[in-house]
């Protein structure tokens, strides 16, 4: 996101995002308290890990950014801001509040206010909070609902949709970072966001439900599936970018964003033109559909699928995967048709 891209409705989005950013970690923490109260120690430990992890990972990324940009002293203010707000689970919420205040200051001054670093900080904080907290917490809580003997608590029913909405919203922002954040590209308007949002809703719901119910059946084997998927994306990215110029920052940033591939394989497109980019998105979404269908069918034909919702979940995962992928590919084709964009190995996020 750039300062020039801010619209009249931007402060409302910042404010709504801040409210969602506070609600998501709070409901996650309250759910962890329920796990602890019911002696679900493994769920509590894993959930606590994914509350702490985004706090540390984002601060480490800022350190790498400083090392890779020593000759750019103008970014020192952003780094201080990141460290001040990056060691607690409410980083994304405070970042959006700062964006809301920035918009008010920008509107009240005649001269232009520089806020590129702040907007980049907002994008990165939302990315890390959603991928390292919202997505794992959603899977953990959905897994707990399907396996626990105790009645489902109200806080669990609230936390699930809040985490999913936060993740869905964040993926729209990530698409804006990757595809629509350069001057030579078309703008991601509010109307286009309303199209991308349901596409991500279908893709995310199918992916998260497939991973969750695969975990119900095969437990820790889900890690093998995630690692295999990430390994395939890494090989494809390395082959595509083997001829490009990469520094230590590019490599480090690529490592830190590995946790995003299992949820969103088209983070790093593999071509230097729009046609190649769309072809890469097509291949990554086909891989997603195959994995989702395979995981949910393995659950459906296992001994754990004796519940009434097994068939509806299987049908929804398969249909949502195909429909969401079709909407995503068709939308990007219409929005980016006839345009080119050089992309290589994680430089999309670096440009923020």
């Amino acid at each position: 996101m750039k300062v020039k891209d801010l619209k009249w409705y931007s402060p409302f989005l910042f404010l709504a995002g801040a409210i969602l950013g506070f609600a998501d970690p709070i409901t996650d923490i309250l759910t962890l308290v329920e796990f602890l109260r019911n002696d679900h120690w493994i769920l509590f430990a894993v959930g606590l890990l994914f509350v702490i992890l985004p706090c540390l990972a984002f601060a480490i990324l800022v350190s790498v950014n400083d090392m890779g940009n020593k000759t750019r002293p103008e970014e020192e203010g952003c780094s201080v801001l990141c460290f001040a707000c990056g060691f607690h689970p409410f980083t994304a919420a405070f970042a959006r509040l700062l964006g809301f205040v920035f918009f008010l200051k920008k509107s009240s001054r005649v001269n232009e206010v520089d806020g590129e670093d702040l907007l980049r900080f907002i994008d990165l904080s939302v990315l890390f909070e959603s991928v390292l907290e919202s997505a794992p917490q959603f899977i953990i809580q959905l897994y707990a609902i399907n396996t626990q003997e105790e009645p489902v608590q109200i806080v669990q029913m609230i936390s699930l949709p809040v985490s999913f909405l936060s993740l869905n919203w964040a993926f729209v922002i990530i698409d804006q970072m990757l595809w629509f954040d350069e001057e030579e590209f078309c703008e991601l308007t509010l109307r286009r966001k309303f199209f991308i949002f349901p596409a991500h809703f279908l893709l995310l719901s199918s992916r998260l439900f497939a991973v969750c119910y695969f975990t119900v059946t095969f437990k820790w084997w889900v890690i093998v599936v995630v690692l295999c998927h990430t390994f395939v994306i890494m090989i494809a990215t390395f082959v595509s970018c083997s001829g490009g110029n990469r520094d230590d920052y590019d490599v480090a940033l690529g490592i830190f964003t590995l946790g995003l591939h299992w949820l969103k394989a088209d983070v790093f497109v593999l071509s230097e033109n729009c046609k190649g980019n769309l072809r890469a998105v097509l291949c990554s979404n086909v891989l997603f559909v195959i994995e989702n269908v395979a995981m949910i069918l393995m659950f459906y034909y296992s001994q754990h699928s004796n519940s009434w919702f097994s068939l509806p979940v299987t049908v929804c995962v398969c249909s949502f995967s195909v429909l969401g992928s079709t909407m995503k590919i068709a939308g990007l084709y219409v929005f980016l048709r006839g345009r080119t964009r050089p992309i290589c190995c994680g430089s999309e996020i670096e440009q923020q």
Side-chain angles (χ1 to χ4, degrees), residues 217-277:
T217 306
F218 298 98
K219 306 299 180 182
W220 298 103
W221 282 101
V222 69
I223 299 178
V224 177
V225 176
V226 172
L227 291 179
C228 289
H229 177 87
T230 303
F231 186 68
V232 171
I233 298 298
M234 286 179 59
I235 292 178
T237 304
F238 178 79
V239 172
S240 174
C241 301
S242 58
N245 296 323
R246 294 170 294 172
D247 54 18
D248 294 338
Y249 176 67
D250 292 329
V251 176
L253 188 59
I255 295 174
F256 281 119
T257 51
L258 290 180
L260 188 58
H261 290 308
W262 70 279
L263 274 178
K264 187 176 175 60
D266 57 351
V267 176
F268 304 125
V269 292
L270 309 176
S271 178
E272 295 185 353
N273 56 72
C274 187
K275 185 177 180 180
N277 294 343

Side-chain angles (χ1 to χ4, degrees), residues 124-139:
L124 289 177
S125 61
V126 170
L127 187 154
F128 274 82
E129 190 268 343
S130 61
V131 174
L132 296 180
E133 181 180 354
S134 298
Q137 293 291 350
F138 181 90
I139 294 176

Side-chain angles (χ1 to χ4, degrees), residues 1 5 9 13 20 96 122-124 126-127 130-131 163-181 186-204 260 263-264 266-267 327-328 332 335 341 352:
M1 183 187 300
D5 297 327
Y9 53 81
L13 294 180
L20 188 63
R96 284 162 165 165
I122 294 174
D123 290 340
L124 289 177
V126 170
L127 187 154
S130 61
V131 174
S163 296
F164 184 81
L165 181 60
S166 177
L167 187 62
N168 201 352
W169 192 337
F171 271 28
V172 176
I173 296 176
I174 293 173
D175 271 352
Q176 183 174 1
M177 295 168 62
L178 301 182
W179 296 94
F180 303 93
D181 213 21
C186 57
E187 181 183 359
L188 184 60
T189 61
L190 186 62
R191 182 182 303 176
R192 291 173 175 176
K193 289 180 180 179
F194 279 125
F195 181 85
I196 294 293
F197 189 88
H200 280 305
F201 176 88
L202 297 174
L203 285 172
L204 277 173
L260 188 58
L263 274 178
K264 187 176 175 60
D266 57 351
V267 176
M327 290 180 61
K328 179 68 180 294
L332 289 179
F335 300 156
R341 180 182 186 183
Q352 307 309 311

Side-chain angles (χ1 to χ4, degrees), residues 12 24 33 63-64 69 78 98 103 107 123 137 146-147 150 171 222 295 333 346-347:
F12 301 102
D24 189 16
V33 173
S63 301
V64 175
N69 297 279
C78 181
L98 291 175
F103 187 91
S107 302
D123 290 340
Q137 293 291 350
N146 284 273
T147 57
E150 300 82 11
F171 271 28
V222 69
M295 285 190 290
Y333 177 78
S347 60

Side-chain angles (χ1 to χ4, degrees), residues 109-129:
R109 296 183 181 181
V110 178
N111 297 327
E112 189 72 18
V113 180
D114 184 20
E116 300 293 343
D117 291 338
L118 174 60
L119 295 181
R120 183 180 63 174
F121 169 56
I122 294 174
D123 290 340
L124 289 177
S125 61
V126 170
L127 187 154
F128 274 82
E129 190 268 343

